[in-house]
Amino acid sequence: MMKRTAIIFAIIFGIGILNSCEEDKDHVLDMSEAVAPQFTNPDHGSAYILEEENELEPLFTFQWSAAEYKAEGLPDVRYLMQAVKTSIGWDNPDSIIDIVETRNTSHDVSVRGMNRIAFNRLNIPAFETDEISFRLQAFLTRANTQTWLFSEPLTISVTTYESVGEASILNVPGSYQGWDPGNNQTVVYSPEDDDLYEGYLFFEEDDTEYKFAKGSWDENWGDDDADGNLQPDGANIIAELAGVYRINADMNEFTHTQFRTEWALIGSAALGWDTDVPMEVDLEYWEENWKVRYVITLDLEPGHFKFRANGAWDPPAGLNMGIDDDAEEGVLMYGGFGNDIPIDEAGTYTVILDLTGPVYRYELHKE
């Protein structure tokens, strides 16, 4: 039975996680021999006073020792760095935030990046000092929790400044916009300044080509093998079909994805939770602003609705968005984090789905 289980694990995860026995030695990873990663920089207890006039300057580089799994033929180790206010602690999962996921054993952070962690995400008030704890989670696959290894926490103190949290951008020059790497409208956004970028772009023609750039051709990335990995000065990336695409780029790992979307409105306020009402791209808005938004005018009844892409609720087939009750009015969130949008009064409404980013929004206008 042990041999059979090991083979099943090997098929699913590339390795079996069981207690050691001689006949299974080729398939078994003994986690009692695994070594967790540990921070080597900065020093535990370091203190940093963050100042807005220096926000573009490097603050420090997180560095850590590599996790060790005592077996051959394993997938690459990945590291998830997380943070929490020290006063709250790791026993409160809702208060823990993810910083970066990487295969590297280091991560650079700027003054602005740390302030966004402290002020924008952990809600440390401006000009106040508080302690933040960081930890590393090493894993071979997220799905198999038995491979997870956690570092000892690293605690630093941070004094914040008030920040409006303006998102970083990555340009997306391409055949659809004249190959202009300096066009700051055709971009994807990194709201957390963590080099994880996302945005929506409209490609009017099949086989549209594009790349990623930092404002000029001096720094640009393409995909030589069309396998989702980015290389400096790499080959053009191709979107085979015309349409609206969600574009993601991870500039920590130099990977990218594209996901073609067709958005609709769905819910009890419209035709029910089983029937999509397709929305149309606002072409005039795109031509004037290089930004994606959808518009529809329809009759709505008292009830609720959400926005759904590709006739499916969740990846890999589709997406959905609803309202963020903790944010300002009109802000949308993906999936289960977004709640149903209420309609209190029957009537004819113009509904706008605004995907211009970095924050997605909606508008309701009753005629």
Side-chain angles (χ1 to χ4, degrees), residues 21-37:
C21 69
E22 184 65 26
E23 68 172 309
D24 294 341
K25 62 183 179 181
D26 293 334
H27 302 281
V28 175
L29 173 61
D30 187 349
M31 288 300 294
S32 68
E33 297 182 352
V35 179

